[in-house]
Amino acid sequence: MCGIIGYTGSDPAVPILLDGLKKLEYRGYDSAGIAVQTKDGLHMIKASGKVEHLAALAAQAPDLEGVCGIGHTRWATHGSPTDINAHPHMSADGRFAIVHNGIIENYLEIKKDLEEKGVVFASETDTEVIVQLLAYYYDGDVRKSLTRTIRRLEGSYALAVLCADVPGTVFAARMSSPLIVGVGAGENYFASDITALIRHTKDVIDLEDGETAEISPDSVVIYDRYGSRTEKAPRHILWDIAAAEKGGYDHFMMKEIMEQPQALQATIVPRIKGGQIVLDSVELDMTKFDRILITACGSAYHAGCVGRIVIESLCRIPVEAEVASEFRYRDAVINEKTLVIVISQSGETADTIAALKEGKNKGASTLAIVNVVGSTIAKLADQVIYTWAGPEIAVATTKGYVTQLAILDLFAVWAARKLGRLDDASYKKLVKGLKALPAQAQRALDLSAGVKRLAALYHDRQSIFFIGRNLDYALAMEGSLKLKEISYLHSEAYAAGELKHGTIALIEPGRLVVALCCCERLYEKTASNIQQVKARGATVLAVAQESKRQVYGEADHVLQVPDCHPLLFPVTEIIPLQLLAYYVALENGCDIDKPKNLAKSVTVE
Ligand code: G6P
């Protein structure tokens, strides 16, 4: 949550900061601000609303000339999204300005202490204590003051700091919130992630927890958690600016939906060599485990629900899936015979990180499925498999989710083979099925025009139900979440067989029920549930595989996806559901890439 950027060089800082903030807006967008070192000291502007609004204010602010500055786009935690609570925050003496991503858990205690010493606070935020502490400890040495300040902080932070006394330098510190250094020629940067910097440099250094850093136009200096200088070589990013731009689409979400065949190709194809699944990065003795626990948040958890069924079905090991925010506090019975799999697009989700630590503390082996290279989860887990989805910008995940499914499928087949639980013929069929997925996803995208027409018919419904059994139920959960998060329609996902135990009371004439019917062996059962809701007046939109022609006799509308292997169809089945959410949101005039109250990277509990 929240995006931060810092710049020092020889170009005007304001356009660079604003452009970086626009790229970081997916992390939070309720208010934004920038601070610049000018010839007259530090100047800042900040306001509630999106970066666009800030940019309009900046265009009229004459006193923001400078070549060194910091910026922030916020997702409010402490204090509502007002102008005053927006970042940057300045010390009462105007000497320091900071931007912060994270939460200071002991801020009340520090605030009380400083207030007793006469410091007057301007905002309701936890962040302000940091900048007031910096000023309080300052005796002419910023690094010393920063060290003393962060020693007092409990919680998480990625900080960028300006001091009026040190022109051309931005200071930074990191603890449990992502922060990178962008290394340029005659200019250097800090940012929450690469998308903010890719226009300027592809060479980045990942800061670790406990590290602090200082950048000036010609130098990058990093200190380890003990305060000793440390040398870190930059890594070179391979993707280019186009990956972080809309590329002609109206929204990142549609661009990312359309990119799914390529993302699947990049994720699956290099891992199949000579007809064998090769997971180079994984060293696991699968015979050691008597249980697998998958844990994640949001859509990544829904991917885990698919993975649970596929892995258990092929490996014959009990598999559970649980949301990370519950698992982390449950004191679950896990031990060295448990494999804990965590799934995260960003690799920075706070609850997923905590769940991973919980697994490690209890002696389990840990495997992470992550998209962002070098992220906290990727570094913490014993083993990592990357989803090569490329950068995902839209808040609602699409290509991130399908590539998570692909990795779970690859892993399930790989593990079952290692365990000797897959005969040659079944293995070959699955490998063939996996290889076919990118092309099948491409064909599923052809449903776009038909889904758009359906969205025009049903966008004004009060509530939409999604039903399905087994893998179809796991997909119903994701389809329903997609719709809620971007269109704000009420929606529920139900195990089709469970509907009659209460929820069917909500089915009334005109209610739209999306019935997922790709699970071949349970088709007849779901078809009965379709009849039950139709008998009560519901309109049914069914999603089924192409060979299931009889579905036309059951449902009012049918969307058919290519026939896939019976365990692999979720990768295609989700595509019409993503499109439905997108077009309903479009019809309803919603801000698709930045839905209200959400953020892409949830780094708070
Ligand atoms: C947020 C996003 C979701 C995402 C979830 C988990 O809620 O809006 O799209 O599924 O976080 O994120 P992760 O990065 O861990 O996959």
Side-chain angles (χ1 to χ4, degrees):
M1 338 233 61
C2 304
I4 69 173
I5 183 160
Y7 167 75
T8 175
S10 52
D11 290 327
V14 173
I16 292 171
L17 297 174
L18 289 173
D19 178 68
L21 289 183
K22 279 188 190 141
K23 298 286 184 312
L24 291 172
E25 243 187 331
Y26 71 89
R27 303 178 68 88
Y29 35 81
D30 57 42
S31 50
I34 51 177
V36 177
Q37 276 179 344
T38 73
K39 58 181 176 22
D40 307 316
L42 303 183
H43 278 269
M44 70 174 176
I45 49 164
K46 53 185 191 169
S48 60
K50 297 197 173 136
V51 174
E52 226 175 330
H53 176 54
L54 178 74
L57 296 178
Q60 289 154 19
D63 51 0
L64 282 173
E65 266 178 43
V67 291
C68 177
I70 54 178
H72 187 271
T73 176
R74 180 170 186 241
W75 188 88
T77 58
H78 295 63
S80 50
T82 58
D83 293 358
I84 294 284
N85 289 335
H87 298 214
H89 290 281
M90 264 202 199
S91 55
D93 60 6
R95 182 175 269 127
F96 288 95
I98 70 159
V99 288
H100 167 220
N101 170 28
I103 286 184
I104 304 307
E105 288 162 4
N106 59 338
Y107 83 103
L108 282 175
E109 171 198 319
I110 299 173
K111 190 169 180 175
K112 187 165 167 269
D113 186 27
L114 288 172
E115 278 173 339
E116 278 166 14
K117 294 183 165 84
V119 177
V120 178
F121 280 77
S123 78
E124 303 160 290
T125 63
D126 54 336
T127 300
E128 195 182 342
V129 300
I130 310 173
V131 76
Q132 304 292 14
L133 270 181
L134 279 167
Y136 177 73
Y137 286 131
Y138 185 62
D139 62 1
D141 182 341
V142 179
R143 212 167 82 68
K144 212 165 103 195
S145 157
L146 182 62
T147 309
R148 290 185 74 183
T149 297
I150 59 179
R151 226 179 263 151
R152 292 275 311 264
L153 305 179
E154 286 167 21
S156 58
Y157 49 82
L159 299 176
V161 180
L162 293 180
C163 176
D165 298 347
V166 194
T169 300
V170 187
F171 300 84
R174 174 201 151 127
M175 180 61 71
S176 305
S177 281
L179 189 60
I180 58 171
V181 181
V183 182
E187 56 185 21
N188 289 303
Y189 303 81
F190 287 119
S192 299
D193 86 25
I194 297 154
T195 47
L197 304 183
I198 194 81
R199 181 185 291 272
H200 308 285
T201 177
K202 289 187 173 187
D203 295 316
V204 302
I205 298 170
D206 301 305
L207 291 180
E208 310 283 333
D209 282 353
E211 286 180 343
T212 55
E214 296 170 22
I215 56 169
S216 62
D218 299 311
S219 73
V220 173
V221 182
I222 298 171
Y223 300 93
D224 67 16
R225 61 176 65 222
Y226 308 106
S228 306
R229 250 184 102 148
T230 173
E231 295 300 324
K232 295 180 87 167
R235 66 185 167 96
H236 192 69
I237 304 302
L238 294 176
W239 49 271
D240 61 26
I241 180 77
E245 305 273 340
K246 283 190 201 148
Y249 289 95
D250 289 338
H251 301 98
F252 278 111
M253 184 178 178
M254 185 47 99
K255 176 182 177 234
E256 288 159 7
I257 289 174
M258 291 298 170
E259 280 173 353
Q260 291 182 109
Q262 294 73 38
L264 286 165
Q265 179 92 5
T267 302
I268 297 170
V269 172
R271 287 163 169 137
I272 299 178
K273 294 179 187 151
Q276 303 295 314
I277 294 175
V278 182
L279 298 181
D280 283 330
S281 58
V282 182
E283 279 173 30
L284 282 175
D285 173 8
M286 288 305 298
T287 59
K288 184 175 138 187
F289 305 117
D290 60 11
R291 188 165 157 232
I292 297 176
L293 197 139
I294 305 177
T295 184
C297 299
S299 297
Y301 162 69
H302 293 157
C305 294
V306 172
R308 175 176 76 83
I309 294 171
V310 179
I311 297 170
E312 192 163 271
S313 156
L314 294 175
C315 297
R316 311 311 303 158
I317 298 177
V319 186
E320 288 160 73
E322 187 172 10
V323 286
S325 52
E326 287 296 314
F327 168 73
R328 63 180 289 191
Y329 293 119
R330 186 163 62 87
D331 193 15
V333 179
I334 50 174
N335 52 39
E336 59 291 343
K337 287 188 183 165
T338 314
L339 173 63
V340 171
I341 302 179
V342 296
I343 308 171
S344 176
Q345 188 284 128
S346 64
E348 301 293 348
T349 303
D351 284 320
T352 312
I353 294 172
L356 171 60
K357 287 181 179 163
E358 167 77 359
K360 288 184 81 146
N361 289 343
K362 288 191 162 159
S365 296
T366 56
L367 168 68
I369 297 173
V370 174
N371 192 40
V372 177
V373 176
S375 56
T376 303
I377 291 176
K379 283 183 191 147
L380 262 179
D382 300 330
Q383 319 269 328
V384 188
I385 312 180
Y386 284 108
T387 52
W388 297 114
E392 192 179 60
I393 314 285
V395 166
T397 179
T398 52
K399 62 176 182 169
Y401 169 82
V402 293
T403 51
Q404 287 163 355
L405 296 183
I407 293 292
L408 287 159
D409 291 338
L410 282 161
F411 173 77
V413 180
W414 173 87
R417 188 67 168 172
K418 291 263 171 217
L419 289 163
R421 291 180 189 154
L422 260 185
D423 60 46
D424 286 353
S426 310
Y427 182 68
K428 261 192 177 163
K429 213 170 138 199
L430 278 155
V431 171
K432 195 170 159 214
L434 279 160
K435 278 165 98 174
L437 286 175
Q440 287 166 333
Q442 187 66 57
R443 283 190 42 223
L445 287 170
D446 295 343
L447 292 167
S448 185
V451 177
K452 191 175 179 185
R453 281 194 294 275
L454 289 170
L457 285 179
Y458 295 109
H459 69 96
D460 56 354
R461 296 298 149 118
Q462 289 278 307
S463 178
I464 297 181
F465 284 81
F466 287 72
I467 61 169
R469 289 168 180 263
N470 192 262
L471 286 170
D472 283 327
Y473 174 43
L475 269 283
M477 293 196 284
E478 176 59 7
S480 170
L481 178 67
K482 275 294 78 92
L483 187 73
K484 296 189 251 243
E485 65 184 338
I486 60 166
S487 76
Y488 319 142
L489 278 190
H490 172 257
S491 167
E492 282 195 48
Y494 250 80
E498 188 64 14
L499 199 67
K500 57 187 170 293
H501 298 292
T503 309
I504 201 162
L506 299 177
I507 302 296
E508 55 187 37
R511 182 76 78 220
L512 182 66
V513 175
V514 180
L516 304 180
C517 311
C518 289
C519 192
E520 173 68 33
R521 73 193 167 84
L522 295 171
Y523 177 78
E524 305 303 336
K525 305 285 174 200
T526 307
S528 304
N529 301 126
I530 292 179
Q531 292 313 320
Q532 289 159 9
V533 294
K534 277 195 70 74
R536 284 151 185 90
T539 305
V540 174
L541 161 60
V543 180
Q545 302 203 42
E546 278 165 350
S547 56
K548 261 297 161 236
R549 304 305 294 174
Q550 64 266 48
V551 69
Y552 283 94
E554 318 275 3
D556 300 282
H557 307 284
V558 176
L559 293 169
Q560 290 202 293
V561 290
D563 285 12
C564 293
H565 185 286
L567 284 174
L568 306 179
F569 67 78
V571 167
T572 53
E573 189 177 29
I574 193 59
I575 290 175
L577 306 184
Q578 296 167 340
L579 291 166
L580 183 68
Y582 177 86
Y583 285 122
V584 168
L586 196 64
E587 284 282 344
N588 292 349
C590 301
D591 189 344
I592 293 181
D593 284 338
K594 299 188 195 84
K596 67 178 177 202
N597 302 340
L598 301 186
K600 186 155 190 70
S601 179
V602 182
T603 54
V604 298
E605 266 197 57

